[in-house]
Amino acid sequence: MRNQNQKRITLADVARHAGVTTMTVSRYLRTPLQVAPVTGKRVAAALEQTEYVANKQAGILASGTSTMVAAIIPNIAHSIFSETVQGLSDVLELHGFELMLASSGYSLEREQKQIRAMMGWAPFALVLTGRHHTPHSLHMLQAAHAAGTPVVEMWDHTSSLPEFAHIGFDHAAAGALMAEHFVSRGYQDLMYVDSGVVQDFRAHERAKGFAQTARNLGVKTRSLQAMSGNPVAAGRQLLKELVGSQPLPRAIAFANDQLAVGALLEAIDQNIAVPEKMALLGFGDFPMAAQIGGGLSTVATPCYEIGQSVGQWVVNCRSGPQAKLSRESGNKKLPALLHPQLIHRHTS
Amino acid sequence: MRNQNQKRITLADVARHAGVTTMTVSRYLRTPLQVAPVTGKRVAAALEQTEYVANKQAGILASGTSTMVAAIIPNIAHSIFSETVQGLSDVLELHGFELMLASSGYSLEREQKQIRAMMGWAPFALVLTGRHHTPHSLHMLQAAHAAGTPVVEMWDHTSSLPEFAHIGFDHAAAGALMAEHFVSRGYQDLMYVDSGVVQDFRAHERAKGFAQTARNLGVKTRSLQAMSGNPVAAGRQLLKELVGSQPLPRAIAFANDQLAVGALLEAIDQNIAVPEKMALLGFGDFPMAAQIGGGLSTVATPCYEIGQSVGQWVVNCRSGPQAKLSRESGNKKLPALLHPQLIHRHTS
DNA sequence: ATGAAAGCGCTAACAT
DNA sequence: ATGTTAGCGCTTTCAT
């Protein structure tokens, strides 16, 4: 295939039109001040006429530096990640970068293949989600870093290797925050409903932080795992089963808002008074949280901001002749650690 | 920047390790059967040892054919589009393609810039959302198409230019479907709440289809525009104002589920019986639709499937030596027109 | 079955 | 301020 009838316009075409060499056109495009105003005008006209669009591949190959940023996230369809990608995309676009995106479906093996595929593009930077990767992935990332490619891990409070950047928050601390909130409201019999996604390490860390803190505060706590599939339906189902089988916990925290809303809807249907009989606490503060059941108490995570910060961090890597410097001290102003906030609404 | 200490491994490195020329390695990678089994083993070992990752830019430049697909959508954070991207991404990955993504924020001017940027990458195919573009965008797309790049428009029932493919559905017909549903349920006093996003052409087409059909069926109908911003809050606000000022319509259709759910939540809070006093109908069938207020009636749109189909269509463009053929007849089996389905639940 | 030569479209480095 | 030369890492084409 690809039997183009109309060949694409090249620098040489433009140069011919303008009566100069390709170098002059190339210079005009990148450092217009280095070309005489008169020639510049001719070049500009030629660019207009020919509707030239520079071939990025050729440029990258020749210059050894790309404007493409590769990002791998667990799931594009999850609102927290799609918002992060939107933030990342917005900042990158503003600075003339392009975004290549892959979705791992929470599979580290799939992520490994994607890292390999991405590296073939020699991207300007590599953006990953979380600090958990296969040993071989880590090996590849390390090699990429050694070859000068910045590596960032999003959504976590530490990186897999010290040389990688990270922008996110401490999920165990977030879990602790949730437990503390319950205890401060006087609830003594707690429960945490963890994500049904086995590889959602961050949700599990929140679960751990929650349990540990509850125990430290001398409060009873249990833990349950939601079913996979539609999380709203799973939350509903879970509460239904809970009501049928055992005494209800006084307060339940969820791995995400979707699960919490499912449980809340079921509680409303079953006439369980929230929060009088049972308190509910979500995680994520998704757009509907404030609107439902008098307002779902939850933890606000700066999804869009994480994306933005990652984008800004990557952009900062470009400036300054020494990558090391710009990547270490130059990026000091950007916070690596963000702080989720507990939003106390009606359900707790 | 980009002062790599460890240079990346090239074909030449691998060839040296294996004691062959670069051509043999290159052949082994693409057409392994053309290389003798004995040599193949040596090459394979060298590839292992060196951990070679092929440089895509160089390959594309030399061969003139890329494995990158460029897609532009209005908003990554909107669930319908993020699911579409997930479907697209899943299919593309399965076939060894990579995805470059941009988000236009519903701005045709921004889209135009993004098309230009994308074209610099000489992608294998261009994927756009909808059939509305600036004249200059159209011009560029036409040029890309003429140069052999497949162009697909998603989410619409026709394409901007006849030579472009399109995979989606007729939004006016979807609007009609909504009006017909209301009328068939015996509701006579209708209302359509349109999207607050000015450039959401598809929502406006649904509004038109709705109004026209209602009138054709001899039924009263009005139209309103939601505020922009959080659509759930907007839906709530809208219903609140409606209750305060005028006689309520018997049935309200919304441009999307988020708006409908907002209104539904407000109706519940105000003790307006749904659907006895007022029927509500959403659009999109987002994950929460089935769970809220006894089940929100809505129109299911095949978001993920649209993405998949687009991906499959693009993949099909690769096979067959004649692009024309594979793009026209070879893709006949793929449906260009999908059909949204009315899901009748509790609220209508 | 393998190799040698040429070149994809651009830019870095060195003239002039 | 502009041009010349060489080469980025790969594939195509044409030998052998």
Side-chain angles (χ1 to χ4, degrees):
Chain A
M1 82 145 292
R2 195 57 43 118
N3 53 336
Q4 45 272 71
N5 345 340
Q6 256 174 258
K7 277 188 150 298
R8 252 174 254 268
I9 280 95
T10 70
L11 255 196
D13 296 326
V14 181
R16 208 174 308 117
H17 272 251
V20 291
T21 60
T22 59
M23 266 318 295
T24 308
V25 183
S26 174
R27 274 200 199 93
Y28 178 80
L29 253 24
R30 289 170 300 117
T31 49
L33 295 172
Q34 281 184 32
V35 65
V38 214
T39 349
K41 285 220 172 56
R42 293 218 322 277
V43 173
L47 286 168
E48 277 276 304
Q49 265 187 28
T50 54
E51 297 180 330
Y52 174 71
V53 178
N55 181 326
K56 288 262 184 190
Q57 333 280 355
I60 293 164
L61 196 57
S63 72
T65 168
S66 175
T67 59
M68 192 213 83
V69 173
I72 304 178
I73 56 169
N75 195 325
I76 305 168
H78 280 19
S79 63
I80 49 166
F81 295 121
S82 63
E83 285 199 23
T84 301
V85 172
Q86 183 71 54
L88 178 59
S89 165
D90 285 347
V91 172
L92 291 182
E93 185 189 343
L94 210 60
H95 295 269
F97 285 90
E98 282 89 21
L99 176 68
M100 184 166 273
L101 189 68
S103 164
S104 71
Y106 282 101
S107 154
L108 296 188
E109 289 69 36
R110 201 167 153 193
E111 187 194 56
Q112 179 179 305
K113 281 185 201 144
Q114 293 171 334
I115 291 173
R116 232 191 98 91
M118 295 297 202
M119 283 183 49
W121 289 92
F124 178 82
L126 271 164
V127 176
L128 303 158
T129 308
R131 65 182 199 277
H132 294 93
H133 314 288
T134 68
H136 188 232
S137 290
L138 276 177
H139 185 85
M140 288 190 291
L141 294 174
Q142 199 163 27
H145 177 86
T149 306
V151 176
V152 204
E153 289 168 324
M154 306 189 290
W155 277 95
D156 235 330
H157 67 298
T158 35
S159 50
S160 52
L161 294 176
E163 58 263 46
F164 302 161
H166 55 95
I167 291 171
F169 55 87
D170 184 340
H171 288 258
L177 189 69
M178 295 168 84
E180 281 159 11
H181 172 69
F182 275 161
V183 173
S184 81
R185 305 286 305 164
Y187 308 132
Q188 304 274 342
D189 180 12
L190 311 185
M191 173 177 268
Y192 187 92
V193 176
D194 199 356
S195 163
V197 181
V198 180
Q199 304 255 44
D200 190 347
F201 304 108
R202 288 166 295 282
H204 306 333
E205 283 170 25
R206 296 197 293 274
K208 257 194 187 162
F210 183 92
Q212 199 138 46
T213 303
R215 266 183 235 112
N216 288 351
L217 294 172
V219 161
K220 181 183 161 194
T221 188
R222 311 172 247 174
S223 185
L224 231 66
Q225 185 129 14
M227 290 185 312
S228 56
N230 183 333
V232 186
R236 230 187 218 288
Q237 176 67 15
L238 191 130
L239 195 75
K240 202 176 286 178
E241 286 168 16
L242 220 54
V243 169
S245 62
Q246 45 187 309
L248 288 176
R250 183 61 189 86
I252 315 181
F254 295 84
N256 57 59
D257 280 350
Q258 283 83 356
L259 285 169
V261 162
L264 176 57
L265 291 170
E266 183 64 24
I268 293 172
D269 286 1
Q270 300 221 9
N271 273 316
I272 300 172
V274 175
E276 292 77 12
K277 279 282 169 199
M278 186 171 64
L280 300 176
L281 181 59
F283 184 89
D285 194 27
F286 80 145
M288 215 158 291
Q291 305 293 332
I292 258 176
L296 175 73
S297 289
T298 189
V299 178
T301 61
C303 336
Y304 185 84
E305 287 75 15
I306 289 180
Q308 277 187 310
S309 292
V310 170
Q312 196 57 57
W313 186 87
V314 167
V315 167
N316 288 357
C317 286
R318 181 171 52 181
S319 54
Q322 333 86 314
K324 274 286 168 203
L325 196 101
S326 74
R327 231 179 299 154
E328 278 157 22
S329 58
N331 266 326
K332 276 277 159 64
K333 24 187 171 168
L334 266 180
L337 211 58
L338 305 176
H339 289 283
Q341 237 186 323
L342 203 131
I343 313 275
H344 181 208
R345 296 203 182 98
H346 180 70
T347 63
S348 65
Chain B
M1 80 148 291
R2 194 56 45 116
N3 51 335
Q4 46 273 70
N5 345 343
Q6 254 174 259
K7 275 190 151 298
R8 251 174 255 267
I9 280 95
T10 69
L11 256 197
D13 296 325
V14 181
R16 208 173 308 115
H17 272 251
V20 291
T21 59
T22 60
M23 266 318 296
T24 308
V25 183
S26 174
R27 273 201 199 92
Y28 178 80
L29 254 24
R30 288 170 300 118
T31 51
L33 296 171
Q34 282 184 32
V35 64
V38 214
T39 348
K41 285 219 171 58
R42 294 218 321 279
V43 174
L47 286 168
E48 277 277 303
Q49 266 187 25
T50 54
E51 297 179 332
Y52 174 71
V53 178
N55 182 326
K56 289 262 184 190
Q57 332 281 355
I60 292 163
L61 195 57
S63 73
T65 168
S66 175
T67 58
M68 192 214 82
V69 173
I72 305 177
I73 57 170
N75 195 324
I76 305 170
H78 280 17
S79 63
I80 49 165
F81 295 122
S82 64
E83 287 200 20
T84 300
V85 172
Q86 183 70 54
L88 177 60
S89 165
D90 285 346
V91 172
L92 290 182
E93 184 188 344
L94 211 60
H95 294 268
F97 285 89
E98 282 90 21
L99 176 68
M100 183 165 271
L101 190 67
S103 165
S104 70
Y106 282 101
S107 154
L108 296 188
E109 289 69 37
R110 201 166 152 193
E111 187 195 57
Q112 177 178 307
K113 281 185 201 144
Q114 292 170 333
I115 292 173
R116 233 191 98 91
M118 295 297 201
M119 283 183 49
W121 289 92
F124 178 82
L126 272 164
V127 176
L128 304 158
T129 307
R131 65 182 200 277
H132 294 93
H133 314 288
T134 67
H136 188 233
S137 290
L138 275 178
H139 185 83
M140 288 191 290
L141 294 174
Q142 199 162 26
H145 177 87
T149 307
V151 176
V152 204
E153 290 168 324
M154 307 189 289
W155 277 95
D156 236 331
H157 67 298
T158 35
S159 50
S160 52
L161 294 176
E163 58 263 46
F164 301 162
H166 54 95
I167 291 172
F169 55 87
D170 184 340
H171 288 258
L177 189 70
M178 295 168 85
E180 281 159 11
H181 171 70
F182 275 160
V183 173
S184 80
R185 304 286 306 163
Y187 308 132
Q188 303 275 340
D189 181 11
L190 312 184
M191 174 177 267
Y192 187 92
V193 176
D194 200 356
S195 162
V197 180
V198 181
Q199 303 257 44
D200 190 347
F201 304 108
R202 288 167 294 283
H204 305 334
E205 283 169 27
R206 296 197 291 275
K208 257 194 188 162
F210 183 93
Q212 198 140 45
T213 303
R215 269 184 232 108
N216 288 350
L217 294 172
V219 162
K220 182 183 160 193
T221 189
R222 313 172 246 173
S223 185
L224 231 65
Q225 186 129 13
M227 287 184 314
S228 56
N230 183 334
V232 186
R236 230 187 217 289
Q237 176 67 13
L238 190 131
L239 195 76
K240 201 175 285 177
E241 285 170 15
L242 219 54
V243 169
S245 63
Q246 45 187 310
L248 288 177
R250 183 61 188 85
I252 315 182
F254 294 85
N256 59 59
D257 279 351
Q258 282 82 356
L259 285 169
V261 162
L264 175 57
L265 291 170
E266 183 64 24
I268 292 172
D269 285 2
Q270 300 223 8
N271 274 314
I272 300 173
V274 175
E276 292 78 11
K277 279 282 169 199
M278 186 172 63
L280 300 176
L281 181 59
F283 184 90
D285 194 28
F286 80 145
M288 214 156 291
Q291 306 293 333
I292 259 176
L296 176 72
S297 289
T298 188
V299 177
T301 60
C303 334
Y304 185 83
E305 287 75 16
I306 289 180
Q308 278 188 311
S309 292
V310 170
Q312 196 56 58
W313 186 88
V314 167
V315 168
N316 289 355
C317 287
R318 181 171 51 180
S319 56
Q322 333 84 315
K324 274 287 169 203
L325 196 100
S326 73
R327 231 179 298 154
E328 277 156 23
S329 58
N331 265 326
K332 275 278 158 64
K333 26 190 170 167
L334 267 180
L337 211 58
L338 303 175
H339 289 283
Q341 237 186 322
L342 203 132
I343 313 276
H344 182 207
R345 295 201 182 98
H346 180 72
T347 61
S348 65

